[in-house]
Amino acid sequence: MMTGLQALGLALAVSVAANGALGAAWLHARDAATRTTGERDSARADASACSDGVADLRGLADERGRRVKAAQATAAERRRQQEAMAQLILSTPAAVPGDVCASAQARVDSWMRGRVAP
């Protein structure tokens, strides 16, 4: 049988081992919580940066949309003018009746005089 002192020593050894195991588990849990908190903060920062980037892209897209609408309106007006000119050209009789080449040359000469220099 064990003496009282041996039993007390064994109990003390078991207690120290248990406290060591609990301390190690507590340190592991603390490290895991710290790591998780850091990962959470990093994910929040990344999400915030992503949201800021999306907002910047939305602003850029809106600006480009406004510029495109203006360019489309200008192009539509120019198209209408060109269609009117084409209708006028098609409805104009030949400048030199019976001579297609001379008529074409007269039309080109007239067009060249009417061109606006860049």
Side-chain angles (χ1 to χ4, degrees):
M1 273 214 146
M2 266 200 231
T3 64
L5 197 52
Q6 285 177 334
L8 192 58
L10 181 61
L12 182 61
V14 169
S15 175
V16 166
N19 283 335
L22 285 174
W26 181 82
L27 289 174
H28 178 68
R30 183 197 64 184
D31 291 345
T34 301
R35 187 174 42 256
T36 302
T37 301
E39 289 171 356
R40 180 203 63 201
D41 292 345
S42 177
R44 281 184 180 169
D46 290 347
S48 179
C50 184
S51 293
D52 292 344
V54 168
D56 291 345
L57 288 174
R58 169 54 58 199
L60 181 61
D62 290 344
E63 174 59 30
R64 286 182 178 174
R66 285 189 289 275
R67 287 193 318 221
V68 163
K69 286 188 187 288
Q72 286 174 338
T74 301
E77 179 58 32
R78 180 143 171 91
R79 179 190 51 83
R80 283 190 287 278
Q81 292 170 354
Q82 294 295 325
E83 284 177 353
M85 180 59 78
Q87 288 300 321
L88 178 66
I89 289 169
L90 290 174
S91 66
T92 303
V96 181
D99 190 351
V100 177
C101 289
S103 293
Q105 186 61 49
R107 189 170 287 173
V108 168
D109 290 342
S110 173
W111 176 76
M112 291 295 285
R113 283 190 301 272
R115 275 184 56 189
V116 177

